[in-house]
C-alpha cells in the first residue's frame, strides 16, 4: 500500500528557455500586427467622405502616411484608423492640416472654414456621419475655386513685370531723346506741371 515514486528524474527539463527576441523579430512582430490590425467597419457615408477629402490631396496624404504607390489612399486611411484605434474625426484632426480641412469645409461640404484642425474635423465628421451625406463637386467644377489662384497671380505678376519693362524702355528712350534734343524735354515737364496743377 505504499505510494510508488519514480526511481530516476527525467533527463531533460520540462520547460525550455526561449532566447530574447532580437530587434528583427520585434520589427517583424510589429509589422505582422499592423497587417493583422482589426479592419475598421466604415459606413458608406464616411468612406465617401474619405474619398472626397483624398480627391485633390492624394499626393500630400500619400506622403503623410508614407504609402507606397500601389496602395489605395482611402484604404491606407482606413488601415491607419484600425492600427491606431482612431475614429474618422480623430484621424483627420491628427493627420490633416487646418488649411487642408478648411479648404475641404469650404469647397466640398459648404461649411465655414474658420477654426483649428480639431474644430474643422468635428464639423466634417458631423457631416460624414449623415447617411445622406454627399460632397459638393470638386473645385474644378465650382466657382469657389481656390487652388487655381496661384497661376492667376503668376499671370498678373508677369503682366506687371512686362509693364515695368515697357516703362523702363520708354524711360530710356526718353532719356536718349533728351540727350539728343535739349529743347524737346524742356517743354514736357512744363506741360506735366500744368496738368498737375489743374488736377489739384
Amino acid at each position: 500500500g505504499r505510494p510508488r515514486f519514480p526511481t530516476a528524474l527525467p533527463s531533460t527539463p520540462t520547460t525550455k528557455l526561449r532566447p530574447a527576441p532580437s530587434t528583427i523579430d520585434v520589427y517583424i512582430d510589429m509589422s505582422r500586427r499592423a497587417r493583422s490590425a482589426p479592419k475598421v467597419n466604415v459606413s458608406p457615408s464616411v468612406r465617401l467622405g474619405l474619398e472626397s477629402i483624398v480627391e485633390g490631396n492624394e499626393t500630400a496624404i500619400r506622403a503623410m502616411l508614407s504609402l507606397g504607390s500601389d496602395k489605395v489612399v482611402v484604404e491606407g486611411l482606413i488601415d491607419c484608423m484600425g492600427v491606431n484605434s482612431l475614429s474618422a474625426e480623430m484621424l483627420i484632426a491628427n493627420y490633416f492640416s487646418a488649411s487642408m480641412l478648411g479648404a475641404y469645409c469650404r469647397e466640398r461640404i459648404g461649411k465655414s472654414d474658420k477654426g483649428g484642425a480639431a474644430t474643422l474635423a468635428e464639423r466634417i465628421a458631423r457631416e460624414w456621419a449623415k447617411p445622406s451625406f454627399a460632397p459638393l463637386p470638386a473645385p474644378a467644377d465650382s466657382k469657389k475655386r481656390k487652388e487655381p489662384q496661384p497661376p492667376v497671380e503668376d499671370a498678373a505678376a508677369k503682366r506687371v513685370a512686362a509693364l515695368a519693362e515697357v516703362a523702363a524702355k520708354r524711360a530710356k528712350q526718353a532719356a536718349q531723346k533728351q540727350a539728343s534734343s535739349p529743347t524737346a524735354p524742356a517743354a514736357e515737364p512744363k506741360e506735366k506741371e500744368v496738368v498737375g496743377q489743374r488736377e489739384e
Side-chain angles (χ1 to χ4, degrees):
R2 293 180 181 178
R4 293 182 180 178
F5 295 99
T7 55
L9 293 171
S11 58
T12 55
T14 53
T15 57
K16 292 183 180 179
L17 295 174
R18 292 182 62 188
S22 66
T23 308
I24 295 173
D25 292 332
V26 172
Y27 178 79
I28 291 171
D29 183 56
M30 286 174 66
S31 62
R32 278 178 187 157
R33 273 192 326 191
R35 281 200 299 270
S36 62
K39 198 77 172 177
V40 180
N41 289 324
V42 177
S43 67
S45 61
V46 171
R47 179 178 283 274
L48 182 60
L50 290 171
E51 288 172 354
S52 63
I53 203 169
V54 165
E55 193 175 357
N57 300 311
E58 182 173 346
T59 305
I61 297 170
R62 194 179 288 280
M64 182 176 62
L65 296 178
S66 302
L67 294 175
S69 56
D70 58 338
K71 180 76 173 179
V72 179
V73 178
V74 174
E75 295 301 325
L77 289 171
I78 294 172
D79 287 347
C80 182
M81 290 168 65
V83 172
N84 299 294
S85 302
L86 297 174
S87 64
E89 180 182 338
M90 291 164 67
L91 173 79
I92 58 178
N94 289 329
Y95 289 91
F96 288 66
S97 66
S99 58
M100 191 185 290
L101 296 178
Y104 178 81
C105 281
R106 183 179 61 249
E107 296 169 353
R108 305 306 303 273
I109 61 175
K111 297 293 180 183
S112 169
D113 57 0
K114 303 286 174 62
T119 303
L120 294 167
E122 182 184 1
R123 194 172 297 148
I124 292 167
R126 198 182 304 130
E127 294 299 311
W128 288 0
K130 299 175 182 176
S132 59
F133 168 74
L136 296 173
D141 304 324
S142 172
K143 291 180 181 179
K144 297 179 181 179
R145 279 175 89 173
K146 292 288 178 183
E147 292 180 4
Q149 277 186 356
V152 172
E153 288 173 4
D154 290 345
K158 285 178 184 176
R159 251 186 258 121
V160 171
L163 289 172
E165 285 179 14
V166 171
K169 286 178 183 176
R170 285 179 182 170
K172 284 181 183 178
Q173 289 173 357
Q176 288 172 358
K177 282 182 182 178
Q178 287 176 5
S180 61
S181 56
T183 55
E188 289 179 5
K190 286 182 181 178
E191 289 176 2
K192 288 180 181 176
E193 286 173 9
V194 172
V195 171
Q197 288 172 0
R198 286 176 183 171
E199 286 176 357
E200 289 173 359

